[in-house]
Each structure stands twice: as C-alpha cells, then as structure tokens.
Amino acid sequence: MRNLLILAHADDEVIGAASLLLREPADCFLFYLTDSAPDNPYFLERAGFATREAYREQRHAELFAALELAGVERRQVVILPVPDQQAARHVGASVAAVREVIDELQPERVFTHAYEGGHPDHDAAAVVASRCGHRAIFEMPYYHAARGRMEAGDFVSSNGTEQEWTLTLSEEEAKQRLWDQFVSQRHVFARFRRGVERYRPQPAYDFDSPPHARPLYYETRPVGWNFEQWREAIRSV
C-alpha cells in the first residue's frame, strides 16, 4: 500500500512512523515542508552551528543515513527549500506541490502531524494535509502542552478512532538504529517512547481556533510565533 508522509522536519519520520518505514520501505514517500534548518540564531547556536547552511547539511546527512538503513531511496524524498519554523508562511505553495506529488504517486494513504500546538511547522503540515484533497489522511501525535506541560507521543485528546503500531523487539532495535543517525537531535528522542506509535484519521479541524487552551507549547519557546500570527499566515490559502 503506497503511503505519502507529509512531514515538517527530518527526524519526524523515525519518531512517528518508523515501523511503517521498516515494514514498507519501498511504498513510503516522504514530503518535507522545510529543509530542517532554522534561520533563528538562538537555535543555530544551541545546536552548535555557525550557519544555517552547515546545520542544513548536517540534518540532511542524518536523514539520508537513516533512510538508507530503513531501505528508503532518495528518489522517494522531496524536501522544500523552506527554513525550519517558516512552513506556515508557505502553505499555499506547499499544498500545490503536495497535490502534484499525489497526482503522480496516487498514494492510498497520507500520514502527517496532528494539529496540537507543539511546533508551528507541525501544525502547518496538518493544514497542508487537510487541503491536499486526499480522502485517507491519518495523523500522528508528536508533542503539545495541553495540560500545562510538554507531553510527547499522545494526542491532545482522544476521539475514539486512535490506533497503534506495536513494534516487535527487533523493530524497536532497528528504530533505535534509525534514531542514532540523528546525532544533532538526540535530545529530541529522549521525550518519546520507542515501542508504540499512534495514529488516527485526521479530524475536521477548525484551524481558526487553537488546538487547546493557550498558551500553546510553541508560544512558550523562542520560535517567534504566537497563534494569531500562525493563523494569519495559514489563511493565505
């Protein structure tokens, strides 16, 4: 079954859908809304890089090392030249590009991020997926602060449609090897459980309203976004 994953950043695939990559590598196609490198000096310095270009090269090298281990070929990957944290400003172009990929690939399923207020790029991916015209869209949870603290790997709330991929021991070990390729993101993986991945059909979201009571997690971080700014950006389409 052919799958298209609409993702915000390199490493999102091995967090939310490693089992899918490991079980169906030839049938997974990955579309990234950003090149995974921010233009925000705070995050560059925190990661130990002097330039955005150097960080981007590192992120891409990590990504393709992980995908090679999983058996996913480079021809199965599209990366838009958009800086990390800026996906919401390019939603219109991203929707058009995703629709072209869907027309070409004819995927049976689309997977993307849940709308959860964790990262503005993650939420932009949810918008892009909702507007791409595909009938079988599934979402994966990453992180949010719906209950006043950062929580990873669970949806903001349950609606009864949730399903789980339970990894075998060998798949968990393989998933860890994928995670290990992302040297610059090791601090991220510590938040997530390795043995279970969750997904559900994407609900009909109201993107004019925040996904939960504020503040959203990204509003507490120095990413330069609040919900009003994000909402205004995604209204371009």
Side-chain angles (χ1 to χ4, degrees):
M1 184 175 292
R2 185 165 289 187
N3 307 290
L4 176 64
L5 282 68
I6 301 173
L7 303 163
H9 316 111
D11 78 8
D12 291 333
E13 67 298 305
V14 298
I15 291 173
S19 60
L20 187 62
L21 300 180
L22 293 167
R23 295 171 188 177
E24 305 176 32
D27 291 322
C28 290
F29 295 81
L30 295 83
F31 190 105
Y32 295 90
L33 299 186
T34 78
D35 62 15
S36 302
D39 52 14
N40 185 325
Y42 170 85
F43 290 98
L44 291 175
E45 293 172 8
R46 184 183 178 203
F49 290 89
T51 67
R52 197 180 91 79
E53 291 71 25
Y55 194 22
R56 181 182 61 210
E57 289 179 10
Q58 176 68 23
R59 296 297 305 275
H60 290 184
E62 294 170 352
L63 170 64
F64 288 115
L67 295 182
E68 183 177 3
L69 277 182
V72 178
E73 300 180 10
R74 292 194 180 209
R75 66 176 179 81
Q76 295 167 241
V77 178
V78 174
I79 302 175
L80 296 184
V82 173
D84 181 356
Q85 303 174 8
Q86 301 302 319
R89 293 195 168 98
H90 300 268
V91 164
S94 297
V95 169
V98 166
R99 286 176 176 170
E100 289 184 6
V101 171
I102 289 174
D103 287 345
E104 178 183 352
L105 294 178
Q106 295 296 307
E108 284 83 7
R109 300 181 298 186
V110 172
F111 291 89
T112 194
H113 296 263
Y115 180 50
E116 57 191 3
H119 192 296
D121 292 346
H122 293 186
D123 288 355
V127 174
V128 170
S130 75
R131 297 178 180 175
C132 73
H134 200 279
R135 293 186 177 182
I137 301 173
F138 297 87
E139 63 176 15
M140 303 171 287
Y142 284 81
Y143 54 85
H144 59 80
R147 285 166 280 279
R149 65 185 187 281
M150 198 276 273
E151 298 180 28
D154 288 313
F155 292 103
V156 169
S157 61
S158 173
N159 64 15
T161 65
E162 293 78 16
Q163 301 178 53
E164 291 186 349
W165 287 303
T166 300
L167 281 70
T168 65
L169 178 58
S170 63
E171 286 175 334
E172 282 194 55
E173 293 170 346
K175 180 174 179 175
Q176 185 63 57
R177 289 192 291 273
L178 300 184
W179 284 8
D180 289 343
Q181 304 310 305
F182 291 91
V183 177
S184 70
Q185 306 302 305
R186 284 177 176 167
H187 62 288
V188 174
F189 298 114
R191 306 168 178 171
F192 294 91
R193 291 165 290 187
R194 198 176 66 178
V196 174
E197 296 168 355
R198 295 179 170 85
Y199 66 102
R200 68 183 181 190
Q202 186 187 52
Y205 284 117
D206 174 12
F207 294 112
D208 278 332
S209 299
H212 62 76
R214 296 170 69 182
L216 305 179
Y217 183 72
Y218 66 74
E219 292 179 311
T220 70
R221 304 289 294 154
V223 297
W225 287 92
N226 59 40
F227 175 72
E228 286 79 14
Q229 292 167 324
W230 181 89
R231 179 176 59 191
E232 186 62 29
I234 63 101
R235 282 177 173 171
S236 62
V237 292

